[in-house]
């Protein structure tokens, strides 16, 4: 029987485990035999990011998914997409406006009516979300840069620049389909893919001391892995699936859990005070509490989100849960679980990141906004240059420039880097693969980070001295 979570709901347990032994680690002899048992039939096509940005012209005829969960079998992949050329040279510095190097610009700031969270429209005012131009008629999604490609945002960070490509995953290992999500778990990296697999990776050193990843183990499911979360206190790894299931695994003491209730893909997971929160494309957030006696999670609340499918969750302590959705952000009180405000948007929320007491919000149309803890807009940037989509974002540290850098992953394998909080474009680089960037993770030391993509690609990068 599964033991309690460290002596109580997620209590105790100490620091993060290394998963060095069975069933996840490479050191054990026993290989996991976890088989997903959820309903099949959800499509594993990549989500159309033009649809996410609100400007797909193909409607139901689009060959990419619009999140409806259509019928489609698990197809085999004929190999990862080939690498692409480096493309254009250096572009302009981007967008206009004077950004302070000590604080967010006041551009687009709210009226300052006090700390209460008020309803606002993220698409109104200068730098808002309105007026995004649709792609040229007849442009083929995912077939490479659009005709009349726009200038890069900042200089091109190619070979010989301050950004070093440390390692790129060989074609004969890794996922057979696109990677949908990735996280750091202790001293491992976890990736979830459209090939219905969770892969665990350990850090290896190549000849010459360069860092690489070696596959450590895998878990097979019956649906695409769309969200991952590692909770160090309980030592549980939670996996959200496209069919709406959530699976949980713990190594010591061994436990395997299944949470059913959502009816569409799980896009975000987090834990607060012993409660697991899950956001789904079914347009709801569910709260789950662990029952020690039963050794299972029970759903204690289902919260419909009026702004549509849920893509991201963010805890704004002490008492705020921000829910990023198709049509903006809903804010719920953590104690009451009742709506206390919202921010409407014409583009979906891709991610929400805490930064120096504020919240960085990336939208699907290439806009990045900064909000105060009370929901007042402090700053708005984009779209600018080629940066007209967001598919994944992360904040990393440039150790030599002594700067925090916001990385904005986009379609066609591009990433634009901005120094923050001044939002100066540090440059744009290409992963070398045509698929969109689906995850970016900070490796936690020496300016090292990794990008993951819809072509099944994994690339490790490191900031060098300019």
């Amino acid at each position: 029987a599964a033991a309690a979570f460290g002596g109580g709901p997620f209590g105790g347990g100490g620091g993060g485990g290394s998963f060095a032994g069975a069933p996840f680690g490479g050191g054990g002899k026993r290989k996991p035999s976890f088989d997903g048992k959820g309903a099949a039939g959800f499509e594993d096509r990549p989500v159309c990011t033009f649809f996410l940005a609100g400007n797909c012209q193909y409607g139901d005829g689009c060959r990419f998914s619009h999140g409806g969960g259509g019928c489609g079998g698990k197809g085999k992949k004929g190999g990862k997409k080939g690498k692409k050329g480096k493309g254009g040279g250096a572009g302009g510095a981007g967008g206009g406006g004077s950004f302070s190097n000590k604080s967010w610009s006041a551009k687009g700031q709210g009226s300052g009516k006090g700390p209460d969270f008020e309803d606002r429209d993220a698409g109104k005012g200068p730098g808002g979300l309105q007026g995004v131009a649709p792609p040229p008629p007849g442009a083929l999604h995912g077939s490479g840069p659009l005709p009349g490609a726009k200038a890069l945002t900042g200089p091109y960070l190619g070979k010989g620049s301050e950004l070093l490509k440390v390692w790129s995953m060989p074609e004969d290992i890794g996922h057979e389909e696109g990677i949908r999500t990735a996280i750091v778990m202790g001293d491992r990296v976890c990736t979830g893919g459209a090939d219905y697999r969770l892969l665990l990776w350990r850090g290896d050193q190549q000849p010459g001391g360069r860092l690489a990843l070696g596959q450590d183990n895998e878990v097979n499911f019956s649906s695409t892995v769309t969200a991952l979360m590692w909770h160090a206190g309980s030592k549980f790894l939670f996996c959200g699936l496209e069919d709406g299931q959530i699976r949980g695994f713990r190594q010591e003491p061994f436990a395997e859990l299944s949470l059913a209730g959502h009816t569409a893909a799980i896009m975000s997971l987090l834990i607060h005070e012993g409660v697991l929160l899950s956001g789904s494309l079914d347009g709801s957030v569910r709260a789950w509490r662990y029952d020690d006696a039963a050794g299972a999670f029970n759903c204690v609340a289902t919260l419909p989100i009026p702004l549509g499918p849920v893509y991201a969750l963010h805890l704004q302590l002490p008492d705020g849960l921000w829910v990023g959705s198709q049509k903006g952000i809903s804010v719920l009180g953590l104690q009451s679980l009742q709506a206390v405000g919202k921010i409407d948007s014409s583009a979906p929320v891709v991610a929400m990141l805490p930064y120096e007491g504020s919240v960085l919000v990336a939208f699907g149309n290439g806009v990045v906004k900064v909000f105060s803890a009370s929901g007042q807009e402090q700053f708005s940037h984009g779209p600018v240059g080629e940066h007209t989509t967001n598919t994944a974002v992360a904040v990393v540290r440039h150790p030599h420039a002594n700067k925090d850098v916001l990385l904005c992953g986009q379609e066609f394998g591009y990433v634009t880097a901005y120094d923050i909080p001044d939002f100066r474009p540090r440059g744009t680089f290409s992963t070398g693969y045509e698929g969109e960037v689906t995850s970016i993770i900070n490796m936690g030391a020496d300016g090292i980070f990794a990008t993951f993509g819809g072509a099944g690609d994994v690339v490790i990068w490191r900031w060098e001295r300019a």
Side-chain angles (χ1 to χ4, degrees), residues 131-407:
V132 180
L140 294 177
H141 295 17
S143 60
L146 295 173
K150 299 176 182 178
L152 299 179
T153 306
Y156 182 73
L157 299 174
K159 188 174 182 180
S161 72
E162 62 180 325
L163 185 62
L164 175 67
K165 180 183 285 189
V166 176
W167 178 80
S168 183
M169 181 170 288
E171 296 286 325
D172 58 346
I173 65 173
H175 289 276
E176 296 177 357
E177 299 287 345
I179 294 173
R180 297 288 295 274
T181 182
I183 61 167
V184 173
M185 183 186 73
D187 61 358
R188 298 289 192 270
V189 170
C190 301
T191 56
D195 58 359
Y196 301 7
R197 293 193 298 163
L198 167 74
L199 299 185
L200 285 82
W201 305 89
R202 65 183 183 276
D204 288 338
Q205 280 197 336
Q206 293 182 317
R210 286 199 168 190
L211 177 66
L213 294 180
Q215 187 173 330
D216 200 40
N217 221 318
E218 70 177 76
V219 181
N220 294 302
F221 298 101
S222 62
S223 183
T224 295
V225 182
T226 52
L228 293 169
M229 185 193 65
W230 161 242
H231 185 250
S234 65
K235 299 183 181 180
F236 257 89
L237 174 65
F238 294 95
C239 308
L241 305 181
E242 194 170 38
D243 63 12
Q245 279 197 98
I246 302 170
R247 304 291 300 279
F249 304 104
R250 183 179 59 197
Q251 180 192 6
E252 294 180 358
F254 175 77
E256 179 180 350
L257 305 170
S258 182
L259 291 68
H262 284 292
T263 58
I266 308 297
M267 301 302 291
S268 187
L269 296 164
L270 57 81
I271 286 176
H272 176 65
E273 294 184 351
V275 176
L276 174 66
L277 299 168
S278 56
S280 168
L281 293 184
D282 64 10
S284 73
V285 172
R286 285 180 177 251
W288 312 79
R289 188 178 291 278
Y290 189 74
D291 184 336
D292 287 330
F297 278 93
N298 294 322
C299 181
V300 295
T302 301
L303 313 172
I305 303 301
L307 295 180
V310 175
Y311 294 98
L313 300 175
H314 166 69
L315 284 174
Q316 187 61 41
L317 299 177
D319 191 39
L321 173 63
W322 292 31
V323 182
S325 303
Q326 180 74 34
K327 298 179 181 179
I329 301 170
S330 299
V331 179
L332 310 179
L334 278 174
Q335 300 304 317
S336 66
L337 294 180
Q338 299 296 314
V340 296
K342 66 174 180 174
I343 301 172
D344 292 314
S345 169
S346 58
V349 173
V350 172
M352 298 179 286
L353 303 176
Y355 186 77
E356 295 188 349
S358 298
V359 184
L360 289 165
V361 181
F363 295 89
N365 61 353
V367 169
V368 178
K369 289 180 177 284
V370 182
F371 295 94
S372 69
S374 61
Q376 292 182 339
E377 184 179 315
Q378 298 174 304
F379 177 80
S380 179
H381 175 80
V384 61
E386 100 301 335
H387 185 187
T388 57
T389 62
N390 286 311
T391 57
V393 296
V395 174
V396 301
R397 187 71 177 172
H398 193 314
H400 306 295
N402 198 30
K403 286 277 191 179
D404 290 330
V405 179
L406 175 67
L407 300 173

